[in-house]
Amino acid sequence: MITFKPLKKDDFSTINKYLLLDKTRSCEKTAGALMMWRDFYKIEWAIFDETLIIKYNNEETPFYMMPVGANPEGAIEALGNATFVGICKEDLHKFDKNAEIIPVRENFDYLYEAESFRTYAGKRLHSKRNFVNRFKATYKYEFLFDSDKSELIEFFKEIDKKQPHLDETGKAELDEIIDLLENRELFELHTGAIKVDGKIICATIGTQLHDTLYVNVEKADKDYIGAYPMIASEFAKAFPEALYINREDDLGEEGLRISKLSYKPLCLLEKHEVIVNK
């Protein structure tokens, strides 16, 4: 029997050594994403045969992340009848041939070439480049890397008041963002922010793992035209060794999907739900 326990912030170092073994570039398998949503999704974890198993409990039926470690197939077998989410193509062969596999478009990750964000070069991104040039011409700004946490928290609180929440996830997001900021060093995360006239007007949270920069949070005051492409570009420049950027999924929201597609992704990382019934 596999014994699970609630995921706490002090568990970060233990689970992270397993997450670092994954090379799929999936946003689910980053400590930032897991630690950010550990309370909302009531996340639990266990180690089975040197393999990390993550369990989500926010629905009637629990579901699992792809096991990561020495024996993922054995962990899948040990779980018996179970539903797995966020499963990349590279991991589908680890399931029994009789498992039901369902592509979930709203969970596909958007993967970009990092250099495209640093420069917005070429015709495909000319609109983003124009927004950035307009921003630079209009505002006297300052980019801050890993700046004061209290200022960042105040910014996210103000933005939270301006932006409507469409679902329970959105309503919980502010508390999760504050948790990430308060534990920035522990979770090995970094922040970027842009100030105009001494005030933060956009900010982001993320980290680089292997060759990929993962952007977990990005918020901007829409009153400042070009703030979103500006913060995205400046944050990418802060990680010159990153080859790719994962900007996570679109949750099926039309506006978010249009925005993410407008940055011209290199590809979409397909994610699947896998239902195992023995």
Side-chain angles (χ1 to χ4, degrees), residues 226-251:
Y228 270 111
M230 189 69 189
I231 187 61
S233 181
E234 292 297 310
F235 199 53
K237 291 175 184 176
F239 297 87
E241 296 182 359
L243 299 180
Y244 305 99
I245 298 178
N246 183 319
R247 293 176 63 82
E248 301 193 344
D249 52 32
D250 61 32
L251 303 174

Side-chain angles (χ1 to χ4, degrees), residues 2-157:
I2 301 175
T3 302
F4 288 87
K5 61 181 180 178
L7 180 60
K8 303 295 184 183
K9 68 179 183 179
D10 293 338
D11 298 324
F12 168 79
S13 60
T14 301
I15 70 162
N16 199 42
K17 71 179 183 181
Y18 289 96
L19 296 174
L20 289 171
L21 298 174
D22 182 76
K23 299 297 176 62
T24 63
R25 301 192 180 94
S26 167
C27 71
E28 280 90 357
K29 301 190 192 81
T30 63
L34 283 174
M35 302 312 289
M36 178 175 178
W37 295 105
R38 66 186 186 278
D39 293 330
F40 181 80
Y41 287 108
K42 301 179 178 65
I43 295 176
E44 295 181 324
W45 67 286
I47 302 298
F48 172 86
D49 194 16
E50 288 301 308
T51 302
L52 172 68
I53 306 175
I54 294 292
K55 180 182 181 182
Y56 301 85
N57 294 290
N58 65 319
E59 297 182 2
E60 288 186 12
T61 303
F63 50 94
Y64 301 86
M65 187 178 82
M66 181 69 208
V68 182
N71 188 13
E73 292 92 341
I76 293 169
E77 180 70 23
L79 288 170
N81 294 342
T83 298
F84 298 82
V85 295
I87 308 303
C88 297
K89 289 191 298 184
E90 297 94 322
D91 290 324
L92 291 176
H93 72 279
K94 297 173 183 176
F95 292 88
D96 184 273
K97 64 180 181 179
N98 295 319
E100 183 179 0
I101 298 172
I102 306 167
V104 184
R105 172 63 179 85
E106 65 187 38
N107 290 341
F108 287 12
D109 285 359
Y110 289 75
L111 191 71
Y112 306 83
E113 291 180 321
E115 191 62 20
S116 69
F117 273 81
R118 298 184 187 112
T119 64
Y120 293 134
K123 292 182 179 180
R124 297 170 72 246
L125 293 169
H126 74 277
S127 64
K128 303 300 181 188
R129 188 167 64 254
N130 289 343
F131 276 123
V132 165
N133 289 338
R134 180 178 173 182
F135 185 95
K136 291 179 177 179
T138 305
Y139 306 109
K140 184 177 181 180
Y141 72 94
E142 177 186 10
F143 174 73
L144 304 171
F145 187 74
D146 285 348
S147 56
D148 181 74
K149 294 179 186 179
S150 61
E151 277 193 297
L152 288 166
I153 289 172
E154 286 307 308
F155 162 75
F156 283 112
K157 285 181 177 179

